[in-house]
Amino acid sequence: MTLTVAGSINIDHVIRLPQFPRPGETLTGRDYRIVPGGKGANQAVAAARAGAATRFVACVGEDALAGSLVAGFAADGIDVSAIDTVAGVNTGVALIQVNDAGENTIALAAGANAELTPDRLARHAEALHCKQLLLQLEIPLDTNLAAARAAKARGARVVLNPAPARALPDELLALVDLITPNETEAERLTGVAVNDDAGAAAAAGALHAKGIAVVIITLGARGVWLSEQGQGRRVPGFSVQAVDTTAAGDTFNGALVAALQQDRPLAEAVRFAQAAAAISVTRPGAQTSVPYRAEIEALLE
Ligand code: ATP
């Protein structure tokens, strides 16, 4: 059985500027690029490159770039049969400004991602007959709920990367087997600040109390807080020279479920995912920075 990712596809328009323009101001930037993005897409690519047979449920619009995006996923070995082209809308777009301090601002237009409704999902019911389902929060919440319910009923492990940060209904959390917030997302979900190990343990405890068996809080360069059945510990990541942390979290999530798909034990899957994410931060970009299985295995040797 495959691993299914249901989620977003975005076209990222990235412009570098000395500083962010103020309201009403026009600033000329340098280096404009159009690159594939979206948390669902990044995580599907990460899972496929990490070696898992991956199916992607998503929507694109009827624009010129959509075809090349989907062709790119297919070239990565992803099963694209459940990617719908929706008439009359654009593919999701992210307008990203990066300033000289390396900070960014991101404006999103959901476009076709908002068309991945529960009704449309129901047309791809076979995709939810999977071993694992990986979800994020860039498609409608009702769709995530329907997907989690259907996959869980068929015995799948439901993995939720609760990004971008928002509060979530208990109904969804109760369907989740493994959750992977970063520090900000963990705080948004639980109200507990994750500034240290004690905070991570408390936030993980609050998520276990919602019915989630495994909680992995990602801590950037500090690694992760791994908590299973209430037993938590920090697992350091790999020490690397970071040049661009974009999609570190997405790479971690895709590689994690790919390793679990291969029935690796949880601790080993976390190490594999941290190795993949560490490689991704040494390279610029989102999908361009996602490593392949052989590279990950080489770092683990
Ligand atoms: P992003 O939003 O940038 O994609 P995130 O906030 O979702 O990231 P992080 O917690 O920053 O996720 O990173 C995810 C994982 O990536 C970490 O748990 C760690 O394993 C790895 N990682 C991130 N930054 C670094 C770094 N500087 N060096 C090594 N590993 C890193």
Side-chain angles (χ1 to χ4, degrees):
M1 267 197 287
T2 63
L3 154 63
T4 293
V5 181
S8 58
I9 296 174
N10 286 333
I11 298 168
D12 291 354
H13 296 260
V14 187
I15 187 160
R16 289 180 184 271
L17 296 146
Q19 72 258 359
F20 300 132
R22 292 189 303 267
E25 187 183 16
T26 302
L27 272 182
T28 300
R30 320 177 291 272
D31 187 35
Y32 167 67
R33 282 165 207 249
I34 302 176
V35 290
K39 290 182 188 297
N42 294 346
Q43 294 183 18
V45 166
R49 290 190 190 166
T54 304
R55 185 180 260 197
F56 188 21
V57 184
C59 290
V60 291
E62 268 192 322
D63 39 63
L65 290 170
S68 66
L69 280 177
V70 177
F73 301 141
D76 266 316
I78 295 170
D79 178 339
V80 297
S81 58
I83 300 182
D84 284 357
T85 300
V86 183
V89 295
N90 280 304
T91 302
V93 162
L95 301 182
I96 304 175
Q97 301 178 338
V98 183
N99 69 11
D100 279 350
E103 298 164 317
N104 61 36
T105 67
I106 304 177
L108 282 179
N113 296 318
E115 303 298 321
L116 185 51
T117 58
D119 282 352
R120 189 175 286 280
L121 178 80
R123 294 184 216 162
H124 299 294
E126 78 293 344
L128 298 172
H129 198 85
C130 54
K131 184 168 164 184
Q132 299 188 94
L133 173 69
L134 175 59
L135 301 168
Q136 320 75 32
L137 301 175
E138 287 184 338
I139 58 171
L141 199 60
D142 282 356
T143 309
N144 274 331
L145 199 53
R149 222 179 254 136
K152 184 100 177 175
R154 291 164 179 155
R157 176 196 279 123
V158 177
V159 180
L160 175 64
N161 174 229
R166 56 164 291 173
L168 288 173
D170 286 352
E171 195 184 1
L172 176 60
L173 296 176
L175 292 163
V176 172
D177 297 294
L178 192 168
I179 195 163
T180 59
N182 67 13
E183 291 142 300
T184 313
E185 292 145 9
E187 180 171 355
R188 185 67 69 86
L189 288 173
T190 63
V192 179
V194 181
N195 299 322
D196 52 21
D197 287 356
L207 290 165
H208 287 311
K210 302 282 182 191
I212 303 172
V214 180
V215 178
I216 300 175
I217 303 176
T218 63
L219 308 168
R222 294 180 55 241
V224 302
W225 182 264
L226 170 59
S227 183
E228 199 179 1
Q229 314 297 350
Q231 291 290 318
R233 66 193 165 99
R234 194 168 67 82
V235 185
F238 289 77
S239 186
V240 291
Q241 191 67 45
V243 301
D244 179 356
T245 63
T246 309
D250 291 337
T251 303
F252 178 89
N253 279 279
L256 177 76
V257 288
L260 292 172
Q261 184 79 9
Q262 294 149 11
D263 295 324
R264 297 193 196 209
L266 182 61
E268 207 183 293
V270 166
R271 205 172 137 69
F272 182 87
Q274 297 221 79
I279 295 169
S280 81
V281 306
T282 64
R283 301 168 178 171
Q287 284 167 33
T288 47
S289 73
V290 174
Y292 292 84
R293 182 173 178 172
E295 301 172 272
I296 306 167
E297 301 285 9
L299 181 58
L300 287 167
E301 270 168 16

PDB file of all heavy atoms in Angstrom, residues 187-227:
ATOM      1  N   GLU A 187       2.861  25.753  20.210  1.00  0.00           N
ATOM      2  CA  GLU A 187       2.298  26.742  21.145  1.00  0.00           C
ATOM      3  C   GLU A 187       0.883  27.132  20.724  1.00  0.00           C
ATOM      4  O   GLU A 187      -0.009  27.267  21.561  1.00  0.00           O
ATOM      5  CB  GLU A 187       3.200  27.976  21.225  1.00  0.00           C
ATOM      6  CG  GLU A 187       2.637  29.012  22.179  1.00  0.00           C
ATOM      7  CD  GLU A 187       3.590  30.162  22.483  1.00  0.00           C
ATOM      8  OE1 GLU A 187       4.752  30.130  22.028  1.00  0.00           O
ATOM      9  OE2 GLU A 187       3.142  31.098  23.186  1.00  0.00           O
ATOM     10  N   ARG A 188       0.668  27.309  19.402  1.00  0.00           N
ATOM     11  CA  ARG A 188      -0.663  27.692  18.927  1.00  0.00           C
ATOM     12  C   ARG A 188      -1.692  26.604  19.241  1.00  0.00           C
ATOM     13  O   ARG A 188      -2.832  26.883  19.588  1.00  0.00           O
ATOM     14  CB  ARG A 188      -0.609  27.964  17.416  1.00  0.00           C
ATOM     15  CG  ARG A 188      -1.900  28.476  16.829  1.00  0.00           C
ATOM     16  CD  ARG A 188      -2.254  29.879  17.338  1.00  0.00           C
ATOM     17  NE  ARG A 188      -1.347  30.886  16.843  1.00  0.00           N
ATOM     18  CZ  ARG A 188      -1.490  31.515  15.665  1.00  0.00           C
ATOM     19  NH1 ARG A 188      -2.510  31.248  14.906  1.00  0.00           N
ATOM     20  NH2 ARG A 188      -0.603  32.398  15.277  1.00  0.00           N
ATOM     21  N   LEU A 189      -1.269  25.356  19.155  1.00  0.00           N
ATOM     22  CA  LEU A 189      -2.205  24.243  19.391  1.00  0.00           C
ATOM     23  C   LEU A 189      -2.511  24.039  20.868  1.00  0.00           C
ATOM     24  O   LEU A 189      -3.605  23.591  21.219  1.00  0.00           O
ATOM     25  CB  LEU A 189      -1.629  22.935  18.834  1.00  0.00           C
ATOM     26  CG  LEU A 189      -1.589  22.804  17.311  1.00  0.00           C
ATOM     27  CD1 LEU A 189      -0.845  21.532  16.917  1.00  0.00           C
ATOM     28  CD2 LEU A 189      -3.009  22.778  16.739  1.00  0.00           C
ATOM     29  N   THR A 190      -1.528  24.341  21.732  1.00  0.00           N
ATOM     30  CA  THR A 190      -1.659  23.948  23.144  1.00  0.00           C
ATOM     31  C   THR A 190      -1.709  25.126  24.107  1.00  0.00           C
ATOM     32  O   THR A 190      -2.087  24.950  25.266  1.00  0.00           O
ATOM     33  CB  THR A 190      -0.462  23.073  23.568  1.00  0.00           C
ATOM     34  OG1 THR A 190       0.741  23.858  23.466  1.00  0.00           O
ATOM     35  CG2 THR A 190      -0.326  21.839  22.700  1.00  0.00           C
ATOM     36  N   GLY A 191      -1.248  26.315  23.649  1.00  0.00           N
ATOM     37  CA  GLY A 191      -1.144  27.443  24.570  1.00  0.00           C
ATOM     38  C   GLY A 191       0.103  27.365  25.449  1.00  0.00           C
ATOM     39  O   GLY A 191       0.320  28.223  26.300  1.00  0.00           O
ATOM     40  N   VAL A 192       0.931  26.341  25.238  1.00  0.00           N
ATOM     41  CA  VAL A 192       2.147  26.178  26.046  1.00  0.00           C
ATOM     42  C   VAL A 192       3.347  26.672  25.239  1.00  0.00           C
ATOM     43  O   VAL A 192       3.577  26.200  24.117  1.00  0.00           O
ATOM     44  CB  VAL A 192       2.381  24.689  26.416  1.00  0.00           C
ATOM     45  CG1 VAL A 192       3.653  24.526  27.240  1.00  0.00           C
ATOM     46  CG2 VAL A 192       1.172  24.117  27.151  1.00  0.00           C
ATOM     47  N   ALA A 193       4.124  27.605  25.782  1.00  0.00           N
ATOM     48  CA  ALA A 193       5.299  28.115  25.077  1.00  0.00           C
ATOM     49  C   ALA A 193       6.394  27.044  25.067  1.00  0.00           C
ATOM     50  O   ALA A 193       6.679  26.429  26.099  1.00  0.00           O
ATOM     51  CB  ALA A 193       5.809  29.373  25.757  1.00  0.00           C
ATOM     52  N   VAL A 194       6.981  26.827  23.870  1.00  0.00           N
ATOM     53  CA  VAL A 194       8.036  25.808  23.764  1.00  0.00           C
ATOM     54  C   VAL A 194       9.383  26.525  23.668  1.00  0.00           C
ATOM     55  O   VAL A 194       9.922  26.729  22.582  1.00  0.00           O
ATOM     56  CB  VAL A 194       7.785  24.894  22.541  1.00  0.00           C
ATOM     57  CG1 VAL A 194       8.868  23.818  22.445  1.00  0.00           C
ATOM     58  CG2 VAL A 194       6.410  24.248  22.620  1.00  0.00           C
ATOM     59  N   ASN A 195       9.903  26.940  24.832  1.00  0.00           N
ATOM     60  CA  ASN A 195      11.193  27.647  24.849  1.00  0.00           C
ATOM     61  C   ASN A 195      12.323  26.742  25.308  1.00  0.00           C
ATOM     62  O   ASN A 195      13.486  27.075  25.156  1.00  0.00           O
ATOM     63  CB  ASN A 195      11.120  28.862  25.791  1.00  0.00           C
ATOM     64  CG  ASN A 195      10.074  29.855  25.324  1.00  0.00           C
ATOM     65  OD1 ASN A 195       9.914  30.070  24.124  1.00  0.00           O
ATOM     66  ND2 ASN A 195       9.339  30.439  26.257  1.00  0.00           N
ATOM     67  N   ASP A 196      11.988  25.641  25.928  1.00  0.00           N
ATOM     68  CA  ASP A 196      12.999  24.722  26.443  1.00  0.00           C
ATOM     69  C   ASP A 196      12.402  23.317  26.516  1.00  0.00           C
ATOM     70  O   ASP A 196      11.244  23.111  26.147  1.00  0.00           O
ATOM     71  CB  ASP A 196      13.492  25.193  27.823  1.00  0.00           C
ATOM     72  CG  ASP A 196      12.317  25.436  28.779  1.00  0.00           C
ATOM     73  OD1 ASP A 196      11.223  24.891  28.533  1.00  0.00           O
ATOM     74  OD2 ASP A 196      12.501  26.173  29.759  1.00  0.00           O
ATOM     75  N   ASP A 197      13.201  22.369  27.032  1.00  0.00           N
ATOM     76  CA  ASP A 197      12.735  20.977  27.076  1.00  0.00           C
ATOM     77  C   ASP A 197      11.481  20.817  27.936  1.00  0.00           C
ATOM     78  O   ASP A 197      10.579  20.034  27.596  1.00  0.00           O
ATOM     79  CB  ASP A 197      13.852  20.061  27.602  1.00  0.00           C
ATOM     80  CG  ASP A 197      14.962  19.867  26.561  1.00  0.00           C
ATOM     81  OD1 ASP A 197      14.812  20.381  25.426  1.00  0.00           O
ATOM     82  OD2 ASP A 197      15.959  19.207  26.884  1.00  0.00           O
ATOM     83  N   ALA A 198      11.419  21.592  29.035  1.00  0.00           N
ATOM     84  CA  ALA A 198      10.244  21.472  29.913  1.00  0.00           C
ATOM     85  C   ALA A 198       8.986  21.936  29.166  1.00  0.00           C
ATOM     86  O   ALA A 198       7.916  21.313  29.272  1.00  0.00           O
ATOM     87  CB  ALA A 198      10.457  22.300  31.175  1.00  0.00           C
ATOM     88  N   GLY A 199       9.122  23.016  28.388  1.00  0.00           N
ATOM     89  CA  GLY A 199       7.986  23.505  27.596  1.00  0.00           C
ATOM     90  C   GLY A 199       7.582  22.495  26.535  1.00  0.00           C
ATOM     91  O   GLY A 199       6.387  22.251  26.298  1.00  0.00           O
ATOM     92  N   ALA A 200       8.583  21.891  25.894  1.00  0.00           N
ATOM     93  CA  ALA A 200       8.293  20.886  24.863  1.00  0.00           C
ATOM     94  C   ALA A 200       7.560  19.700  25.484  1.00  0.00           C
ATOM     95  O   ALA A 200       6.572  19.197  24.928  1.00  0.00           O
ATOM     96  CB  ALA A 200       9.591  20.422  24.200  1.00  0.00           C
ATOM     97  N   ALA A 201       8.022  19.278  26.666  1.00  0.00           N
ATOM     98  CA  ALA A 201       7.384  18.133  27.331  1.00  0.00           C
ATOM     99  C   ALA A 201       5.935  18.467  27.687  1.00  0.00           C
ATOM    100  O   ALA A 201       5.025  17.633  27.515  1.00  0.00           O
ATOM    101  CB  ALA A 201       8.169  17.751  28.580  1.00  0.00           C
ATOM    102  N   ALA A 202       5.707  19.702  28.158  1.00  0.00           N
ATOM    103  CA  ALA A 202       4.348  20.100  28.548  1.00  0.00           C
ATOM    104  C   ALA A 202       3.439  20.188  27.317  1.00  0.00           C
ATOM    105  O   ALA A 202       2.285  19.736  27.349  1.00  0.00           O
ATOM    106  CB  ALA A 202       4.394  21.430  29.293  1.00  0.00           C
ATOM    107  N   ALA A 203       3.953  20.762  26.228  1.00  0.00           N
ATOM    108  CA  ALA A 203       3.148  20.867  24.996  1.00  0.00           C
ATOM    109  C   ALA A 203       2.847  19.474  24.448  1.00  0.00           C
ATOM    110  O   ALA A 203       1.715  19.188  24.021  1.00  0.00           O
ATOM    111  CB  ALA A 203       3.888  21.707  23.952  1.00  0.00           C
ATOM    112  N   ALA A 204       3.846  18.598  24.473  1.00  0.00           N
ATOM    113  CA  ALA A 204       3.628  17.228  23.991  1.00  0.00           C
ATOM    114  C   ALA A 204       2.564  16.545  24.850  1.00  0.00           C
ATOM    115  O   ALA A 204       1.675  15.858  24.327  1.00  0.00           O
ATOM    116  CB  ALA A 204       4.934  16.439  24.016  1.00  0.00           C
ATOM    117  N   GLY A 205       2.629  16.762  26.160  1.00  0.00           N
ATOM    118  CA  GLY A 205       1.644  16.167  27.064  1.00  0.00           C
ATOM    119  C   GLY A 205       0.234  16.617  26.720  1.00  0.00           C
ATOM    120  O   GLY A 205      -0.710  15.811  26.721  1.00  0.00           O
ATOM    121  N   ALA A 206       0.087  17.912  26.395  1.00  0.00           N
ATOM    122  CA  ALA A 206      -1.239  18.441  26.039  1.00  0.00           C
ATOM    123  C   ALA A 206      -1.739  17.794  24.747  1.00  0.00           C
ATOM    124  O   ALA A 206      -2.946  17.542  24.592  1.00  0.00           O
ATOM    125  CB  ALA A 206      -1.164  19.960  25.892  1.00  0.00           C
ATOM    126  N   LEU A 207      -0.822  17.513  23.811  1.00  0.00           N
ATOM    127  CA  LEU A 207      -1.239  16.876  22.545  1.00  0.00           C
ATOM    128  C   LEU A 207      -1.563  15.398  22.757  1.00  0.00           C
ATOM    129  O   LEU A 207      -2.514  14.878  22.170  1.00  0.00           O
ATOM    130  CB  LEU A 207      -0.160  17.084  21.477  1.00  0.00           C
ATOM    131  CG  LEU A 207      -0.057  18.548  21.012  1.00  0.00           C
ATOM    132  CD1 LEU A 207       1.224  18.799  20.246  1.00  0.00           C
ATOM    133  CD2 LEU A 207      -1.277  18.926  20.173  1.00  0.00           C
ATOM    134  N   HIS A 208      -0.804  14.723  23.635  1.00  0.00           N
ATOM    135  CA  HIS A 208      -1.158  13.330  23.970  1.00  0.00           C
ATOM    136  C   HIS A 208      -2.573  13.287  24.567  1.00  0.00           C
ATOM    137  O   HIS A 208      -3.345  12.371  24.277  1.00  0.00           O
ATOM    138  CB  HIS A 208      -0.168  12.752  24.983  1.00  0.00           C
ATOM    139  CG  HIS A 208       1.191  12.434  24.417  1.00  0.00           C
ATOM    140  ND1 HIS A 208       1.367  11.713  23.252  1.00  0.00           N
ATOM    141  CD2 HIS A 208       2.436  12.739  24.851  1.00  0.00           C
ATOM    142  CE1 HIS A 208       2.663  11.580  23.011  1.00  0.00           C
ATOM    143  NE2 HIS A 208       3.334  12.198  23.960  1.00  0.00           N
ATOM    144  N   ALA A 209      -2.873  14.304  25.371  1.00  0.00           N
ATOM    145  CA  ALA A 209      -4.190  14.326  26.038  1.00  0.00           C
ATOM    146  C   ALA A 209      -5.339  14.465  25.031  1.00  0.00           C
ATOM    147  O   ALA A 209      -6.479  14.145  25.345  1.00  0.00           O
ATOM    148  CB  ALA A 209      -4.237  15.473  27.051  1.00  0.00           C
ATOM    149  N   LYS A 210      -5.019  14.932  23.819  1.00  0.00           N
ATOM    150  CA  LYS A 210      -6.039  15.025  22.751  1.00  0.00           C
ATOM    151  C   LYS A 210      -6.193  13.691  22.023  1.00  0.00           C
ATOM    152  O   LYS A 210      -6.945  13.594  21.051  1.00  0.00           O
ATOM    153  CB  LYS A 210      -5.651  16.099  21.727  1.00  0.00           C
ATOM    154  CG  LYS A 210      -5.463  17.482  22.298  1.00  0.00           C
ATOM    155  CD  LYS A 210      -6.784  18.148  22.544  1.00  0.00           C
ATOM    156  CE  LYS A 210      -6.582  19.572  23.068  1.00  0.00           C
ATOM    157  NZ  LYS A 210      -7.832  20.152  23.558  1.00  0.00           N
ATOM    158  N   GLY A 211      -5.371  12.703  22.398  1.00  0.00           N
ATOM    159  CA  GLY A 211      -5.515  11.378  21.790  1.00  0.00           C
ATOM    160  C   GLY A 211      -4.434  11.035  20.775  1.00  0.00           C
ATOM    161  O   GLY A 211      -4.555  10.042  20.048  1.00  0.00           O
ATOM    162  N   ILE A 212      -3.367  11.847  20.715  1.00  0.00           N
ATOM    163  CA  ILE A 212      -2.315  11.619  19.720  1.00  0.00           C
ATOM    164  C   ILE A 212      -1.189  10.791  20.349  1.00  0.00           C
ATOM    165  O   ILE A 212      -0.594  11.194  21.351  1.00  0.00           O
ATOM    166  CB  ILE A 212      -1.761  12.963  19.205  1.00  0.00           C
ATOM    167  CG1 ILE A 212      -2.918  13.801  18.638  1.00  0.00           C
ATOM    168  CG2 ILE A 212      -0.681  12.741  18.155  1.00  0.00           C
ATOM    169  CD1 ILE A 212      -2.538  15.226  18.281  1.00  0.00           C
ATOM    170  N   ALA A 213      -0.879   9.645  19.746  1.00  0.00           N
ATOM    171  CA  ALA A 213       0.071   8.709  20.363  1.00  0.00           C
ATOM    172  C   ALA A 213       1.507   9.212  20.293  1.00  0.00           C
ATOM    173  O   ALA A 213       2.273   9.054  21.240  1.00  0.00           O
ATOM    174  CB  ALA A 213      -0.032   7.337  19.693  1.00  0.00           C
ATOM    175  N   VAL A 214       1.885   9.776  19.149  1.00  0.00           N
ATOM    176  CA  VAL A 214       3.281  10.200  18.970  1.00  0.00           C
ATOM    177  C   VAL A 214       3.328  11.689  18.642  1.00  0.00           C
ATOM    178  O   VAL A 214       2.642  12.161  17.727  1.00  0.00           O
ATOM    179  CB  VAL A 214       3.972   9.406  17.836  1.00  0.00           C
ATOM    180  CG1 VAL A 214       5.415   9.868  17.666  1.00  0.00           C
ATOM    181  CG2 VAL A 214       3.923   7.907  18.117  1.00  0.00           C
ATOM    182  N   VAL A 215       4.132  12.426  19.405  1.00  0.00           N
ATOM    183  CA  VAL A 215       4.298  13.868  19.184  1.00  0.00           C
ATOM    184  C   VAL A 215       5.779  14.131  18.900  1.00  0.00           C
ATOM    185  O   VAL A 215       6.647  13.726  19.672  1.00  0.00           O
ATOM    186  CB  VAL A 215       3.856  14.674  20.426  1.00  0.00           C
ATOM    187  CG1 VAL A 215       4.086  16.171  20.210  1.00  0.00           C
ATOM    188  CG2 VAL A 215       2.390  14.402  20.758  1.00  0.00           C
ATOM    189  N   ILE A 216       6.040  14.783  17.766  1.00  0.00           N
ATOM    190  CA  ILE A 216       7.412  15.169  17.433  1.00  0.00           C
ATOM    191  C   ILE A 216       7.409  16.677  17.216  1.00  0.00           C
ATOM    192  O   ILE A 216       6.801  17.171  16.264  1.00  0.00           O
ATOM    193  CB  ILE A 216       7.905  14.458  16.151  1.00  0.00           C
ATOM    194  CG1 ILE A 216       7.882  12.936  16.338  1.00  0.00           C
ATOM    195  CG2 ILE A 216       9.316  14.937  15.789  1.00  0.00           C
ATOM    196  CD1 ILE A 216       8.232  12.150  15.079  1.00  0.00           C
ATOM    197  N   ILE A 217       8.018  17.413  18.141  1.00  0.00           N
ATOM    198  CA  ILE A 217       8.098  18.875  17.999  1.00  0.00           C
ATOM    199  C   ILE A 217       9.455  19.191  17.393  1.00  0.00           C
ATOM    200  O   ILE A 217      10.498  18.851  17.973  1.00  0.00           O
ATOM    201  CB  ILE A 217       7.916  19.584  19.354  1.00  0.00           C
ATOM    202  CG1 ILE A 217       6.571  19.172  19.991  1.00  0.00           C
ATOM    203  CG2 ILE A 217       7.986  21.108  19.170  1.00  0.00           C
ATOM    204  CD1 ILE A 217       6.319  19.748  21.379  1.00  0.00           C
ATOM    205  N   THR A 218       9.450  19.811  16.205  1.00  0.00           N
ATOM    206  CA  THR A 218      10.736  20.119  15.573  1.00  0.00           C
ATOM    207  C   THR A 218      11.280  21.425  16.153  1.00  0.00           C
ATOM    208  O   THR A 218      10.538  22.389  16.366  1.00  0.00           O
ATOM    209  CB  THR A 218      10.635  20.187  14.039  1.00  0.00           C
ATOM    210  OG1 THR A 218       9.754  21.243  13.662  1.00  0.00           O
ATOM    211  CG2 THR A 218      10.123  18.871  13.462  1.00  0.00           C
ATOM    212  N   LEU A 219      12.593  21.437  16.418  1.00  0.00           N
ATOM    213  CA  LEU A 219      13.222  22.536  17.153  1.00  0.00           C
ATOM    214  C   LEU A 219      14.334  23.187  16.338  1.00  0.00           C
ATOM    215  O   LEU A 219      15.330  23.650  16.904  1.00  0.00           O
ATOM    216  CB  LEU A 219      13.799  21.982  18.472  1.00  0.00           C
ATOM    217  CG  LEU A 219      12.844  21.170  19.366  1.00  0.00           C
ATOM    218  CD1 LEU A 219      13.618  20.440  20.465  1.00  0.00           C
ATOM    219  CD2 LEU A 219      11.787  22.077  19.985  1.00  0.00           C
ATOM    220  N   GLY A 220      14.205  23.192  14.999  1.00  0.00           N
ATOM    221  CA  GLY A 220      15.233  23.791  14.147  1.00  0.00           C
ATOM    222  C   GLY A 220      16.574  23.094  14.343  1.00  0.00           C
ATOM    223  O   GLY A 220      16.640  21.861  14.422  1.00  0.00           O
ATOM    224  N   ALA A 221      17.638  23.895  14.459  1.00  0.00           N
ATOM    225  CA  ALA A 221      18.987  23.328  14.574  1.00  0.00           C
ATOM    226  C   ALA A 221      19.158  22.484  15.842  1.00  0.00           C
ATOM    227  O   ALA A 221      20.101  21.698  15.948  1.00  0.00           O
ATOM    228  CB  ALA A 221      20.022  24.452  14.555  1.00  0.00           C
ATOM    229  N   ARG A 222      18.242  22.615  16.818  1.00  0.00           N
ATOM    230  CA  ARG A 222      18.346  21.841  18.071  1.00  0.00           C
ATOM    231  C   ARG A 222      17.785  20.432  17.928  1.00  0.00           C
ATOM    232  O   ARG A 222      17.821  19.647  18.870  1.00  0.00           O
ATOM    233  CB  ARG A 222      17.640  22.575  19.204  1.00  0.00           C
ATOM    234  CG  ARG A 222      18.338  23.903  19.576  1.00  0.00           C
ATOM    235  CD  ARG A 222      17.631  24.628  20.709  1.00  0.00           C
ATOM    236  NE  ARG A 222      17.479  23.789  21.880  1.00  0.00           N
ATOM    237  CZ  ARG A 222      16.303  23.442  22.401  1.00  0.00           C
ATOM    238  NH1 ARG A 222      15.181  23.851  21.852  1.00  0.00           N
ATOM    239  NH2 ARG A 222      16.255  22.681  23.479  1.00  0.00           N
ATOM    240  N   GLY A 223      17.211  20.107  16.766  1.00  0.00           N
ATOM    241  CA  GLY A 223      16.712  18.748  16.570  1.00  0.00           C
ATOM    242  C   GLY A 223      15.214  18.642  16.789  1.00  0.00           C
ATOM    243  O   GLY A 223      14.463  19.499  16.317  1.00  0.00           O
ATOM    244  N   VAL A 224      14.789  17.614  17.540  1.00  0.00           N
ATOM    245  CA  VAL A 224      13.355  17.428  17.797  1.00  0.00           C
ATOM    246  C   VAL A 224      13.135  17.008  19.243  1.00  0.00           C
ATOM    247  O   VAL A 224      14.035  16.481  19.900  1.00  0.00           O
ATOM    248  CB  VAL A 224      12.722  16.330  16.886  1.00  0.00           C
ATOM    249  CG1 VAL A 224      12.903  16.654  15.415  1.00  0.00           C
ATOM    250  CG2 VAL A 224      13.257  14.943  17.204  1.00  0.00           C
ATOM    251  N   TRP A 225      11.902  17.231  19.710  1.00  0.00           N
ATOM    252  CA  TRP A 225      11.423  16.627  20.950  1.00  0.00           C
ATOM    253  C   TRP A 225      10.545  15.460  20.518  1.00  0.00           C
ATOM    254  O   TRP A 225       9.538  15.645  19.831  1.00  0.00           O
ATOM    255  CB  TRP A 225      10.623  17.628  21.788  1.00  0.00           C
ATOM    256  CG  TRP A 225      10.177  17.033  23.092  1.00  0.00           C
ATOM    257  CD1 TRP A 225       8.971  16.476  23.367  1.00  0.00           C
ATOM    258  CD2 TRP A 225      10.951  16.924  24.286  1.00  0.00           C
ATOM    259  NE1 TRP A 225       8.936  16.018  24.664  1.00  0.00           N
ATOM    260  CE2 TRP A 225      10.150  16.276  25.262  1.00  0.00           C
ATOM    261  CE3 TRP A 225      12.258  17.289  24.633  1.00  0.00           C
ATOM    262  CZ2 TRP A 225      10.594  15.998  26.541  1.00  0.00           C
ATOM    263  CZ3 TRP A 225      12.695  17.019  25.915  1.00  0.00           C
ATOM    264  CH2 TRP A 225      11.874  16.383  26.860  1.00  0.00           C
ATOM    265  N   LEU A 226      10.958  14.245  20.884  1.00  0.00           N
ATOM    266  CA  LEU A 226      10.228  13.038  20.478  1.00  0.00           C
ATOM    267  C   LEU A 226       9.506  12.483  21.694  1.00  0.00           C
ATOM    268  O   LEU A 226      10.145  12.151  22.697  1.00  0.00           O
ATOM    269  CB  LEU A 226      11.222  12.012  19.925  1.00  0.00           C
ATOM    270  CG  LEU A 226      10.707  10.591  19.664  1.00  0.00           C
ATOM    271  CD1 LEU A 226       9.555  10.591  18.667  1.00  0.00           C
ATOM    272  CD2 LEU A 226      11.848   9.708  19.149  1.00  0.00           C
ATOM    273  N   SER A 227       8.194  12.386  21.615  1.00  0.00           N
ATOM    274  CA  SER A 227       7.414  11.947  22.763  1.00  0.00           C
ATOM    275  C   SER A 227       6.425  10.867  22.344  1.00  0.00           C
ATOM    276  O   SER A 227       5.614  11.066  21.443  1.00  0.00           O
ATOM    277  CB  SER A 227       6.673  13.147  23.362  1.00  0.00           C
ATOM    278  OG  SER A 227       5.966  12.757  24.507  1.00  0.00           O
TER     279      SER A 227
END
